[in-house]
Amino acid sequence: MREKINALLKEVEAFSAENLEELENFRIKFLGKKGEIPALFADFKSVPPEQRREMGQLINTLKQTVQNKIVALKEKLDTQTGDQETQLDLTLPASAPLGSRHPLSIVRNEIIDIFSRIGFTVSEGPEIEDDFHNFTALNFPEEHPARDMQDTFFIEKDPDLALRTHTSSVQVRVMEKSQPPIRTISPGRVFRNEAISARAHCIFHQVEGLYVDENVSFTDLKQTLFYFARELFGEHTKIRFRPSYFPFTEPSAEMDVSCNICGGKGCNICKYTGWVEILGCGMVDPNVLEACHIDNKKYTGFAFGMGIERITMLKYQVNDLRLFFENDLRFLEQFTAAR
Ligand code: PHE
């Protein structure tokens, strides 16, 4: 019996388990009902009395060794598997999918960048506007049909509140608060009561610009917008101006850029003309300066306004404006690489 116990002791001491299953088998082999240790205790009955003390101690030592071994191995295995679960390799590249900016934000930021480089600041104003800032100060006479050019969502009659139809209202606010030189652009959301289609929406985004100082001329306007068009659409871009009408500018014009899709040869985006209209502009009407308490004998200015949707459609060849508002991931994900 002594030899058998010593052999088992050696076996226990040498044992090591790779996983919890091996450890459980080891436990069953020694401590299970039909295991080695219960068997030894059973055999103990036939040990001669003079050896009982020694054998008893030996069996207990074996049992204790087995139990210690199980506790030690279990602890080791637990910490190993725990490690695997919580161990982080901080050098791995992040695998979380990258978000992307909305295409309208990308283009808005780009427009802001281009104008900041030549000294324009950014100004913002309220989306709910009063009649004065959206119309009257901008030289829209009461009851004048020009107010119908921009189908307005009215909110209240007295005081006269509406959703702003353009961000020219922000420029009125800037002129009221400050004196020239003023160089500012106002990006923002605007609202018009129009039927939703591939080319129009009742909510869209604009960037409008204003420059007021001594001796500001139409030449300054042309050069500034020429710079802008080439920065945005590339250095080979050409521009042209067509006479137009806005109540707040005189003279007024619309500006076209050479079609950046076909390079001016003619395609369905430019309707085979080689040109696409991107903005309205003109010299600030002296009445507007006066309404904003700016000396219109001393100062002149130019203003312009453009729709961000339209420019984004051109830049990224998007053929339906509604895509900007649907937040379909299949559309948005295509802009992940852009800034
Ligand atoms: N406010 C005009 C619009 O919403 C755009 C514009 C701005 C035109 C400034 C001329 C000068 O259409």
Side-chain angles (χ1 to χ4, degrees):
M1 188 175 215
R2 188 183 294 114
E3 284 77 55
K4 175 150 194 211
I5 296 175
N6 282 332
L8 286 174
L9 256 175
K10 280 208 179 99
E11 185 183 334
V12 171
E13 273 156 11
F15 178 77
S16 118
E18 290 283 304
N19 51 45
L20 290 171
E21 197 186 335
E22 279 180 31
L23 184 61
E24 177 62 4
N25 290 339
F26 171 80
R27 189 192 65 79
I28 293 169
K29 179 175 177 199
F30 284 91
L31 300 174
K33 256 192 192 146
K34 294 180 183 154
E36 300 286 358
I37 289 170
L40 285 170
F41 278 119
D43 289 350
F44 186 69
K45 293 188 193 100
S46 52
V47 172
E50 66 276 13
Q51 293 180 12
R52 283 202 168 181
R53 196 181 149 88
E54 189 199 346
M55 289 306 133
Q57 278 175 353
L58 265 178
I59 298 174
N60 276 327
T61 307
L62 177 66
K63 187 178 174 187
Q64 198 58 52
T65 313
V66 170
Q67 282 169 341
N68 290 346
K69 189 86 187 180
I70 290 173
V71 171
L73 283 177
K74 181 142 182 16
E75 204 165 286
K76 189 171 149 211
L77 286 172
D78 278 352
T79 49
Q80 261 177 20
T81 49
D83 266 355
Q84 274 160 14
E85 272 164 17
T86 53
Q87 215 171 39
L88 297 177
D89 182 352
L90 299 178
T91 63
L92 280 178
S95 60
L98 273 185
S100 57
R101 275 197 204 287
H102 193 282
L104 295 179
S105 304
I106 295 169
V107 171
R108 182 203 52 210
N109 292 347
E110 202 174 340
I111 295 172
I112 293 176
D113 267 9
I114 293 173
F115 282 105
S116 345
R117 291 204 286 275
I118 52 170
F120 280 74
T121 58
V122 173
S123 37
E124 289 183 342
E127 293 182 345
I128 295 176
E129 251 319 348
D130 52 40
D131 180 87
F132 178 77
H133 292 93
N134 198 79
F135 290 122
T136 306
L138 289 161
N139 201 32
F140 286 82
E142 279 308 321
E143 312 299 334
H144 192 279
R147 294 192 185 219
D148 297 340
M149 275 168 72
Q150 305 180 338
D151 301 292
T152 310
F153 284 116
F154 293 101
I155 295 178
E156 245 176 56
K157 204 67 206 128
D158 195 18
D160 228 333
L161 292 178
L163 296 178
R164 67 182 177 196
T165 59
H166 49 188
T167 57
S168 303
S169 55
V170 180
Q171 307 185 337
V172 172
R173 289 180 179 276
V174 172
M175 287 191 280
E176 280 176 329
K177 285 198 312 264
S178 40
Q179 283 295 311
I182 295 171
R183 259 191 242 103
T184 191
I185 52 171
S186 32
R189 219 161 29 156
V190 300
F191 308 84
R192 290 185 198 175
N193 193 357
E194 284 184 33
I196 296 170
S197 72
R199 316 188 96 241
H201 208 291
C202 55
I203 302 177
F204 60 99
H205 300 77
Q206 279 192 327
V207 177
E208 296 220 355
L210 174 74
Y211 178 24
V212 184
D213 202 351
E214 284 178 51
N215 300 320
V216 175
S217 70
F218 206 91
T219 314
D220 298 318
L221 176 152
K222 279 175 140 178
Q223 190 58 45
T224 304
L225 294 178
F226 186 38
Y227 153 80
F228 164 70
R230 291 202 310 180
E231 289 292 304
L232 191 67
F233 293 111
E235 57 176 338
H236 300 296
T237 308
K238 296 196 206 80
I239 57 168
R240 74 174 186 189
F241 292 84
R242 286 175 292 101
S244 185
Y245 170 75
F246 299 102
F248 33 89
T249 45
E250 183 59 35
S252 304
E254 273 169 325
M255 186 178 99
D256 299 342
V257 291
S258 51
C259 179
N260 74 319
I261 314 271
C262 63
K265 284 194 213 76
C267 67
N268 62 350
I269 301 284
C270 61
K271 300 203 205 83
Y272 300 94
T273 62
W275 296 96
V276 266
E277 186 219 311
I278 62 159
L279 56 81
C281 57
M283 299 307 292
V284 181
D285 192 299
N287 292 343
V288 175
L289 296 177
E290 193 185 332
C292 302
H293 318 297
I294 288 179
D295 183 349
N296 61 13
K297 302 275 177 308
K298 188 168 174 198
Y299 298 110
T300 50
F302 70 72
F304 55 88
M306 65 192 99
I308 303 181
E309 278 77 359
R310 190 173 169 74
I311 292 186
T312 311
M313 286 170 85
L314 262 181
K315 205 171 151 73
Y316 290 107
Q317 305 181 22
V318 177
N319 60 9
D320 193 324
L321 194 146
R322 288 168 290 200
L323 286 165
F324 294 129
F325 298 92
E326 282 163 2
N327 286 333
D328 186 330
L329 282 181
R330 291 169 300 178
F331 174 65
L332 298 177
E333 273 167 1
Q334 298 176 54
F335 298 89
T336 310
R339 271 183 319 146

